[in-house]
Amino acid sequence: METKLPPASTPTSPSSPGLSPVPPPDKVDGFSRRSLRRARPRRSHSSSQFRYQSNQQELTPLPLLKDVPASELHDLLSRKLAQCGVMFDFLDCVADLKGKEVKRAALNELVECVGSTRGVLIEPVYPDIIRMISVNIFRTLPPSENPEFDPEEDEPNLEPSWPHLQLVYEFFLRFLESPDFQPSVAKRYVDQKFVLMLLELFDSEDPREREYLKTILHRVYGKFLGLRAYIRKQCSHIFLRFIYELEHFNGVAELLEILGSIINGFALPLKTEHKQFLVRVLIPLHSVKSLSVFHAQLAYCVVQFLEKDATLTEHVIRGLLKYWPKTCTQKEVMFLGEMEEILDVIEPSQFVKIQEPLFKQVARCVSSPHFQVAERALYFWNNEYILSLIEDNCHTVLPAVFGTLYQVSKEHWNQTIVSLIYNVLKTFMEMNGKLFDELTASYKLEKQQEQQKARERQELWQGLEELRLRRLQGTQGAKEAPLQRLTPQVAASGGQS
Amino acid sequence: MAGAAGPGIGPGAAGGDGDDSLYPIAVLIDELRNEDVQLRLNSIKKLSTIALALGVERTRTELLPFLTDTIYDEDEVLLALAEQLGNFTGLVGGPDFAHCLLPPLESLATVEETVVRDKAVESLRQISQEHTPVALEAHFVPLVKRLASGDWFTSRTSACGLFSVCYPRASNALKAEIRQCFRSLCTDDTPMVRRAAASKLGEFAKVLELDSVKSEIVPLFTNLASDEQDSVRLLAVEACVSIAQLLSQDDLEALVMPTLRQAAEDKSWRVRYMVADKFSELQKAVGPKITLSDLIPAFQNLLKDCEAEVRAAAAHKVKELCENLPIEGRETIIMNQILPYIKELVSDTNQHVKSALASVIMGLSTILGKENTIEHLLPLFLAQLKDECPEVRLNIISNLDCVNEVIGIRQLSQSLLPAIVELAEDAKWRVRLAIIEYMPLLAGQLGVEFFDEKLNSLCMAWLVDHVYAIREAATSNLMKLVQKFGTEWAQNTIVPKVLVMANDPNYLHRMTTLFCINALSEACGQEITTKQMLPIVLKMAGDQVANVRFNVAKSLQKIGPILDTEALQEEVKPVLQKLGQDEDMDVKYFAQEAISGIAARARKLDFPVKDSDEPSVPGADKNHFWRPRGPREDTGKGPAYQLHVNTRDTLARLEMAELVLFFPKQRLIPLD
């Protein structure tokens, strides 16, 4: 059972350039994708949209909009909109083909009309338009066919009703972009509830749908000033739920892309609300398992913030260090990439605040047994700007990384890594020969001290454990008189036993 | 560690001043903030040790303030801290001082990471019970109120879990305030908080006075059940179960049912799913009258829901629903109002739905009785036995016992057989494994004749399956069959066939013979073992594949206890000694293991030894055999050690290890 799409019904009206929904991304790496290899029996698609409408009326084609006199245009328009509000069952691809065709033709005409004819969008048609759009797009998304859906590996479930749905989205977009569109009229219908339902659709598994939603939400944000704060708030709710409750939401990348352009437009100085969004939402987003799906968009948002307000750098970097991946090397490479993007725009005054913890982490990455992580970290030294920052602060940075680099240069299994480390050590030597010599000399001593410390620690815990046991015994002895507080005896008896 | 904080410590008993000179708090604190996370984590996990060393006074005045101030650590450390603090009451001086633990836990209850927060709430709930009523009002309730009015959603979410533990012990004035707090969280702006509140609504309702439930909880419930987010609405369904239990039938009808009806028809499938999933609980909570008037129609709708997830959840509940109906009139209701819908589900388009139904449908036969089962259910069983999806067939077969009690299995056997055969040969080994596990049950119900005629060949075929797990299951299946049908049957039907495999060209099949002997010897008894099995085992000691030889050694050790001394001395011992000199290291090792095992047993039986002698290894080992390595001393490095494991779970892995191990010197590598 493959996706049941009804026979070729590509819309005749072309999408406006730049808005055409991207096809599902094809990988061109030459490897067959897991989902293709894995012959998984597909369940039949379902879509909650189509609960049976038993009293389905028959649709009959109406006259074309361009054929009627202007006086009848709006009446016909609203009849067409009503026709487009009739829903069809796309799971059964042969059901009611005639009705589907009538609706498709009507939708095509509406798309055409709202995009090219001036004077169509008068106040009375707004509620009809929004009703038609709502009926078509708002639905509870069906349960995912594959509970472990991995957006990177698996084929998404495509929306069966796309032949109609696409035209509705196209119509909605052109409606919003029409020169006649009046936000002041539309805001009565495009309200908070409408936006909330729109945001919920971003969870759609169908990338084509999310692409339309992205453009549409962007236009809504641009045109409805009164909804902006609400949209931002709801986005952050979606993200927080995604981070802390579900770990599943398909549209994170798209929402972040919109936010990227929103952040770009923030006025200075940044409001506390926005800063809080960065620190409490965007940074924790890094901890999500499926980071790779939206990392590019997320990193863009973070860098946008830092370009707006450099004083946020310390927060951001400390945040990233807190969420630094412990077991996922793939994510670690992404973190390193983002860190370099941040360092590219960092101000030297900010750099000094975080250089030590940051470079300790970089050193840990260099010592990673996964060579891609080590390599990515060592590439930092190829970056001229970072190198100049290191040089200016070599008295802090070098001691933070030297021990690890020195040790890894002798131990790493991968020759490329070893030679990269030698290069780094060489730059250190050239940077500050004296400091380098001192560090080399103290390296051995430190190693010994570490061992000493470990021994002391062991002794400490041993002593504590013994003391605990003595106390416990003492407690048991003194159990009969539990309220004795000023008790040299207790301590003494503890000491004796 | 945690035990130190257990109830054994009386209040103040661990008091007194710590050995200051030895353990100044600074040193401990140094440990608690060591740069290395792992070391910090270790220190936190030993927090009770530290506290005990410091004594209650200094724990209160020095340790806890430090902990409260430095809560900016890795989540893992915080989680450990939150957990520790829940058991700390004894270490700070008992219930009188339990409130000292609130500040650090309060901070922990506001952190971002859910796991930490949840653990902090859990600990707070634990500690709340240790508070005196005065301390509860003075310290705990204010904390709950602070959390409930926190800026960020995390603290408000945490607060939701604390209302029900402090409410029952608070004064009336305070109770009103607590209710007010909870009300405001139920209408919070952030959906995360509303979800937390909704999930605690039922729990909170249970500790409230009935009047308050009616006047306050019900409106909150109605509100949450019509929330704009389906994730909130579905939690209200859960709360519904608790609330319904508290109300009288009339109140239920007026206050709860409208909302529940609405939930069963919610536009979001998640909410409907929840209703289906909680159906039995709801049914019990609302009682028989409303069940008949409202829940049955709702259930019918769920069974034909447009979403497969919902149908499957409802199908799972069919049996429980029917069981819980009032006995009087039950049959009519099931026959007229449920069965027609079930019939449709049997041919559902979705396999999960069918398989959910198949897992419970057999249970209906006991409820409906013999005649109805034969007339109405049997066709459904038969249809499901022929279903294209193996899971459906398997679910039917695995529940055969229910039907057996009512109509006897003969009714089904005609259709059963093809279904079993097909499953037995399914391409997926897990399906084959599942059906093997039902074989003893089937054998018992179908009787020995039917079994011999139809199923015996299947059981033998599994012994040469190309998947180890199947061969292994087939072996233990044989043992269970012998237990059922007796030794005579074994001797005539099973044993000859098993022993023939000892000459198979494939060494894996030869080993299967050995495994079967291991499993069967005990059930078959001494005579069969000595006369029929032992000669074969001994003969196999000359096998050219080392794996077979050391399995001979293992088998001999296994069947040793069943044999008499004479056989052991005359026949087993020489063979083992020969194997003990094998060129292969592992054969030697296992032969030696077997010898010492048998020897130890023999000594125990023949002449009692002193306790002190027993654990020592018999001297014979050291004299007669070169030991490649002390298998018990050497910690798991050598192959022999790895092979020494013979628990059921590791056998499959073991076989792979064996294969790898012997690959280089294998003269003959049989292929499956």
Side-chain angles (χ1 to χ4, degrees):
Chain A
M1 263 184 283
E2 266 307 317
T3 35
K4 289 179 191 162
L5 286 178
S9 47
T10 27
T12 44
S13 92
S15 311
S16 46
L19 290 172
S20 61
V22 284
D26 259 329
K27 282 191 178 170
V28 279
D29 54 7
F31 291 102
S32 63
R33 300 181 57 177
R34 195 175 76 196
S35 50
L36 295 181
R37 277 179 272 127
R38 191 202 312 154
R40 181 163 48 84
R42 287 206 154 213
R43 281 199 267 147
S44 64
H45 279 294
S46 53
S47 169
S48 291
Q49 184 172 14
F50 308 106
R51 310 191 67 175
Y52 278 104
Q53 296 165 315
S54 45
N55 51 346
Q56 185 102 1
Q57 65 271 48
E58 187 111 332
L59 289 194
T60 42
L62 296 168
L64 294 180
L65 285 168
K66 62 176 194 285
D67 292 347
V68 291
S71 58
E72 289 166 34
L73 179 72
H74 284 108
D75 178 51
L76 181 63
L77 187 69
S78 86
R79 280 165 66 205
K80 291 223 169 204
L81 284 167
Q83 255 190 354
C84 292
V86 177
M87 303 305 293
F88 291 93
D89 180 6
F90 272 84
L91 293 179
D92 184 354
C93 51
V94 287
D96 208 356
L97 282 177
K98 184 167 155 279
K100 284 177 188 168
E101 179 51 34
V102 172
K103 178 170 168 180
R104 196 188 62 79
L107 278 169
N108 263 325
E109 221 192 332
L110 287 173
V111 169
E112 187 86 8
C113 169
V114 76
S116 56
T117 323
R118 297 294 306 259
V120 182
L121 294 184
I122 56 165
E123 223 174 302
V125 302
Y126 276 70
D128 288 345
I129 287 177
I130 296 299
R131 193 178 312 124
M132 189 279 277
I133 292 170
S134 305
V135 167
N136 275 284
I137 67 173
F138 293 146
R139 64 211 194 273
T140 309
L141 294 167
S144 177
E145 205 175 273
N146 174 3
E148 293 123 58
F149 177 68
D150 174 357
E152 282 205 303
E153 289 281 354
D154 295 327
E155 289 291 345
N157 268 334
L158 298 180
E159 171 60 47
S161 65
W162 191 242
H164 284 173
L165 201 55
Q166 178 189 19
L167 292 170
V168 176
Y169 278 124
E170 185 65 42
F171 171 74
F172 189 9
L173 196 54
R174 293 195 184 199
F175 167 64
L176 290 170
E177 287 175 344
S178 158
D180 290 344
F181 178 74
Q182 288 173 284
S184 54
V185 180
K187 76 177 180 198
R188 261 174 272 158
Y189 313 104
V190 179
D191 53 6
Q192 295 193 343
K193 196 160 189 303
F194 185 93
V195 166
L196 184 69
M197 289 195 281
L198 198 65
L199 281 168
E200 278 175 3
L201 290 174
F202 274 81
D203 194 20
S204 167
E205 232 174 78
D206 192 332
R208 304 169 300 184
E209 179 166 19
R210 295 201 306 271
E211 190 63 30
Y212 263 115
L213 286 165
K214 185 179 78 185
T215 323
I216 287 169
L217 185 67
H218 187 261
R219 302 290 183 276
V220 170
Y221 190 89
K223 295 196 192 271
F224 297 86
L225 302 185
L227 287 171
R228 288 184 171 184
Y230 184 79
I231 291 176
R232 289 196 306 268
K233 191 175 79 184
Q234 292 306 327
C235 280
S236 77
H237 287 164
I238 289 177
F239 290 144
L240 288 170
R241 181 163 190 232
F242 174 64
I243 302 165
Y244 296 115
E245 295 183 7
L246 276 185
E247 288 233 345
H248 180 88
F249 192 85
N250 290 311
V252 175
E254 284 79 5
L255 288 179
L256 284 170
E257 206 174 322
I258 301 169
L259 280 165
S261 75
I262 292 176
I263 295 165
N264 211 342
F266 280 161
L268 287 172
L270 289 177
K271 286 193 209 158
T272 329
E273 174 213 328
H274 301 328
K275 291 185 191 171
Q276 198 177 44
F277 178 72
L278 170 70
V279 176
R280 310 201 95 159
V281 182
L282 290 185
I283 299 298
L285 256 181
H286 287 83
S287 66
V288 176
K289 197 165 67 186
S290 55
L291 177 69
S292 60
V293 181
F294 55 85
H295 182 250
Q297 291 81 356
L298 179 59
Y300 177 79
C301 287
V302 170
V303 173
Q304 286 295 306
F305 260 114
L306 297 185
E307 285 193 350
K308 288 260 165 194
D309 184 351
T311 58
L312 292 166
T313 315
E314 189 183 350
H315 270 306
V316 168
I317 293 188
R318 287 195 190 276
L320 287 180
L321 291 175
K322 181 176 177 220
Y323 291 112
W324 203 273
K326 303 237 172 5
T327 53
C328 181
T329 46
Q330 189 204 4
K331 271 174 74 177
E332 232 177 327
V333 173
M334 285 185 260
F335 269 59
L336 284 164
E338 184 171 349
M339 200 54 96
E340 187 168 351
E341 277 181 54
I342 293 172
L343 288 177
D344 271 333
V345 299
I346 201 169
E347 283 179 11
S349 61
Q350 296 294 320
F351 180 79
V352 289
K353 291 187 189 161
I354 46 78
Q355 52 185 349
E356 210 176 329
L358 171 63
F359 274 86
K360 286 204 165 132
Q361 180 58 56
V362 173
R364 272 197 291 277
C365 292
V366 171
S367 67
S368 166
H370 196 304
F371 80 99
Q372 283 178 338
V373 176
E375 190 180 52
R376 188 66 193 82
L378 287 163
Y379 282 164
F380 277 25
W381 275 271
N382 293 350
N383 184 316
E384 295 279 333
Y385 182 59
I386 298 181
L387 209 57
S388 74
L389 289 169
I390 296 176
E391 189 161 7
D392 294 344
N393 301 284
C394 63
H395 283 280
T396 323
V397 177
L398 257 59
V401 296
F402 182 81
T404 316
L405 290 187
Y406 191 80
Q407 197 180 349
V408 178
S409 73
K410 296 189 187 308
E411 287 173 0
H412 207 282
W413 62 273
N414 184 299
Q415 277 314 307
T416 320
I417 300 301
V418 173
S419 61
L420 280 170
I421 294 182
Y422 273 125
N423 284 341
V424 171
L425 288 173
K426 215 172 100 205
T427 42
F428 281 168
M429 215 177 340
E430 286 158 6
M431 213 177 258
N432 191 332
K434 191 162 154 281
L435 180 62
F436 186 85
D437 291 341
E438 281 169 22
L439 288 170
T440 324
S442 60
Y443 174 74
K444 266 214 170 116
L445 197 68
E446 270 170 30
K447 280 275 143 194
Q448 281 168 357
Q449 277 173 348
E450 262 172 45
Q451 281 171 1
Q452 174 68 22
K453 257 196 169 162
R455 259 200 307 280
E456 278 169 17
R457 174 170 305 116
Q458 207 187 344
E459 280 162 19
L460 170 76
W461 284 111
Q462 222 163 9
L464 274 176
E465 186 62 27
E466 279 161 22
L467 184 65
R468 185 179 79 92
L469 289 177
R470 281 208 304 277
R471 289 257 162 135
L472 275 181
Q473 279 165 13
T475 318
Q476 245 134 55
K479 212 173 184 178
E480 297 307 295
L483 282 175
Q484 277 183 313
R485 191 73 49 75
L486 302 155
T487 42
Q489 309 101 295
V490 172
S493 73
Q496 280 157 13
S497 52
Chain B
M1 284 189 296
I9 301 164
D17 36 10
D19 300 24
D20 294 273
S21 53
L22 266 174
Y23 306 110
I25 182 116
V27 177
L28 300 174
I29 283 176
D30 249 16
E31 282 298 293
L32 289 172
R33 31 172 187 222
N34 193 295
E35 212 174 286
D36 186 337
V37 190
Q38 195 52 48
L39 290 176
R40 285 205 302 276
L41 192 60
N42 292 345
S43 314
I44 285 284
K45 285 184 175 164
K46 288 183 191 155
L47 204 59
S48 58
T49 310
I50 296 179
L52 203 59
L54 287 173
V56 291
E57 187 90 36
R58 293 186 62 205
T59 300
R60 286 200 301 268
T61 54
E62 294 174 56
L63 184 61
L64 286 178
F66 163 75
L67 291 174
T68 314
D69 288 345
T70 50
I71 296 185
Y72 300 102
D73 207 329
E74 298 263 345
D75 293 328
E76 211 181 340
V77 178
L78 297 185
L79 176 68
L81 178 60
E83 189 169 7
Q84 291 273 313
L85 290 178
N87 298 316
F88 240 57
T89 311
L91 294 164
V92 292
D96 288 343
F97 297 97
H99 61 86
C100 298
L101 298 169
L102 298 181
L105 282 172
E106 181 174 354
S107 311
L108 288 168
T110 62
V111 300
E112 316 266 24
E113 178 51 51
T114 329
V115 199
V116 179
R117 256 187 286 140
D118 289 350
K119 190 53 91 179
V121 170
E122 199 185 311
S123 289
L124 279 169
R125 286 170 73 112
Q126 208 170 323
I127 289 176
S128 72
Q129 302 307 316
E130 287 158 353
H131 276 65
T132 58
V134 179
L136 194 81
E137 294 212 348
H139 301 284
F140 197 87
V141 175
L143 167 135
V144 177
K145 283 197 280 186
R146 272 198 304 280
L147 285 175
S149 56
D151 280 343
W152 192 238
F153 80 94
T154 51
S155 73
R156 303 203 296 278
T157 312
S158 295
C160 294
L162 297 172
F163 290 99
S164 64
V165 290
C166 59
Y167 187 83
R169 295 167 68 201
S171 69
N172 281 339
L174 219 46
K175 277 184 174 175
E177 273 186 63
I178 296 174
R179 289 198 305 270
Q180 171 57 36
C181 266
F182 190 79
R183 266 206 306 278
S184 68
L185 292 180
C186 284
T187 52
D188 199 280
D189 189 36
T190 318
M192 269 81 65
V193 179
R194 293 203 302 278
R195 279 194 286 275
S199 68
K200 300 293 177 193
L201 185 65
E203 181 189 290
F204 189 52
K206 282 185 190 161
V207 298
L208 251 58
E209 299 76 12
L210 187 58
D211 280 347
S212 308
V213 172
K214 280 195 241 174
S215 64
E216 297 186 34
I217 294 290
V218 168
L220 292 178
F221 163 68
T222 316
N223 242 336
L224 290 168
S226 51
D227 196 275
E228 56 189 11
Q229 305 234 343
D230 59 0
S231 54
V232 179
R233 295 202 298 275
L234 65 87
L235 291 167
V237 175
E238 267 188 292
C240 184
V241 176
S242 309
I243 296 171
Q245 286 167 347
L246 303 170
L247 298 175
S248 69
Q249 286 284 311
D250 288 346
D251 288 336
L252 206 55
E253 180 54 52
L255 301 173
V256 175
M257 286 318 291
T259 312
L260 183 58
R261 277 182 213 122
Q262 182 192 317
E265 287 172 0
D266 198 281
K267 65 181 192 301
S268 163
W269 62 270
R270 291 185 189 85
V271 180
R272 302 196 305 274
Y273 174 90
M274 200 60 161
V275 175
D277 197 47
K278 297 275 165 218
F279 213 84
S280 305
E281 288 94 327
L282 287 168
Q283 186 188 0
K284 281 181 201 146
V286 301
K289 192 163 152 261
I290 296 183
T291 299
L292 293 189
S293 62
D294 277 281
L295 290 195
I296 299 273
F299 193 69
Q300 293 169 340
N301 283 332
L302 294 172
L303 284 177
K304 57 178 174 124
D305 197 277
C306 61
E307 249 1 299
E309 255 75 359
V310 180
R311 291 199 303 277
H316 262 302
K317 301 291 168 187
V318 164
K319 185 190 151 202
E320 273 182 69
L321 172 94
C322 295
E323 262 174 357
N324 295 335
L325 289 171
I327 298 195
E328 195 183 331
R330 178 162 77 175
E331 194 180 312
T332 332
I333 296 167
I334 298 174
M335 296 302 294
N336 298 334
Q337 305 196 40
I338 308 280
L339 203 61
Y341 294 89
I342 295 180
K343 281 182 181 157
E344 272 177 46
L345 286 190
V346 168
S347 49
D348 199 276
T349 49
N350 184 291
Q351 65 174 58
H352 297 279
V353 178
K354 287 186 292 188
S355 121
L357 182 67
S359 67
V360 297
I361 191 173
M362 309 287 272
L364 292 181
S365 51
T366 34
I367 303 171
L368 288 178
K370 188 170 178 179
E371 272 167 38
N372 283 325
T373 301
I374 293 175
E375 193 184 336
H376 298 284
L377 293 178
L378 199 57
L380 305 182
F381 300 159
L382 296 178
Q384 292 216 300
L385 268 178
K386 293 190 190 94
D387 198 275
E388 55 175 12
C389 162
E391 207 184 321
V392 176
R393 282 173 270 149
L394 208 56
N395 280 345
I396 290 288
I397 291 176
S398 60
N399 287 301
L400 278 177
D401 47 338
C402 319
V403 189
N404 194 30
E405 290 160 18
V406 184
I407 57 169
I409 211 161
R410 290 277 163 188
Q411 297 272 4
L412 279 172
S413 53
Q414 279 315 310
S415 323
L416 208 48
L417 195 65
I420 293 173
V421 173
E422 208 178 312
L423 288 171
E425 288 160 1
D426 197 279
K428 293 197 185 74
W429 68 266
R430 283 176 202 283
V431 175
R432 299 200 296 277
L433 186 64
I435 189 76
I436 294 177
E437 283 173 2
Y438 294 114
M439 264 303 146
L441 183 78
L442 287 170
Q445 281 158 6
L446 293 166
V448 66
E449 277 162 47
F450 186 91
F451 184 87
D452 277 346
E453 198 180 317
K454 317 273 185 186
L455 300 178
N456 195 12
S457 54
L458 284 179
C459 292
M460 300 317 286
W462 283 320
L463 286 176
V464 293
D465 198 282
H466 60 270
V467 175
Y468 178 78
I470 300 297
R471 298 198 298 275
E472 189 201 20
T475 329
S476 66
N477 173 43
L478 287 187
M479 182 183 70
K480 289 178 196 149
L481 289 174
V482 173
Q483 283 165 355
K484 268 216 159 69
F485 293 153
T487 48
E488 198 179 322
W489 177 82
Q491 197 175 1
N492 295 331
T493 352
I494 303 272
V495 175
K497 289 186 187 164
V498 167
L499 296 182
V500 164
M501 277 166 47
N503 300 320
D504 199 285
N506 186 332
Y507 86 102
L508 292 172
H509 298 173
R510 298 201 294 280
M511 292 212 299
T512 308
T513 300
L514 291 171
F515 296 145
C516 285
I517 289 175
N518 294 348
L520 292 176
S521 59
E522 202 171 322
C524 287
Q526 195 183 48
E527 200 190 324
I528 299 179
T529 309
T530 319
K531 290 210 174 126
Q532 300 192 6
M533 296 176 176
L534 184 61
I536 302 288
V537 179
L538 295 174
K539 206 179 99 197
M540 290 169 84
D543 201 285
Q544 53 183 339
V545 178
N547 300 50
V548 178
R549 293 201 302 280
F550 75 64
N551 272 302
V552 166
K554 282 172 156 184
S555 288
L556 287 174
Q557 182 174 3
K558 180 94 211 270
I559 65 174
I562 300 159
L563 305 171
D564 56 23
T565 340
E566 196 187 333
L568 279 176
Q569 284 299 328
E570 307 271 306
E571 301 182 62
V572 175
K573 203 174 162 196
V575 170
L576 279 178
Q577 278 170 345
K578 186 162 166 277
L579 286 176
Q581 252 122 57
D582 200 274
E583 61 183 12
D584 188 277
M585 195 165 69
D586 296 287
V587 178
K588 254 189 237 174
Y589 170 78
F590 283 108
Q592 177 224 317
E593 280 277 292
I595 289 177
S596 48
I598 292 173
R601 199 188 128 262
R603 277 190 308 160
K604 235 188 262 177
L605 289 176
D606 296 346
F607 32 91
V609 277
K610 278 186 225 152
D611 282 0
S612 56
D613 290 348
E614 236 183 308
S616 70
V617 188
D621 295 354
K622 284 166 205 154
N623 303 332
H624 288 232
F625 301 113
W626 172 70
R627 300 180 64 184
R629 66 196 80 85
R632 301 215 186 263
E633 297 95 49
D634 193 345
T635 45
K637 297 244 167 56
Y641 181 85
Q642 285 169 15
L643 288 169
H644 181 63
V645 222
N646 60 356
T647 60
R648 243 178 83 102
D649 301 340
T650 46
L651 266 172
R653 248 178 296 148
L654 200 61
E655 188 189 49
M656 297 228 311
E658 284 166 8
L659 282 172
V660 174
L661 208 60
F662 286 95
F663 203 76
K665 46 184 154 175
Q666 190 79 52
R667 283 160 293 269
L668 190 152
I669 305 163
L671 297 170
D672 257 324

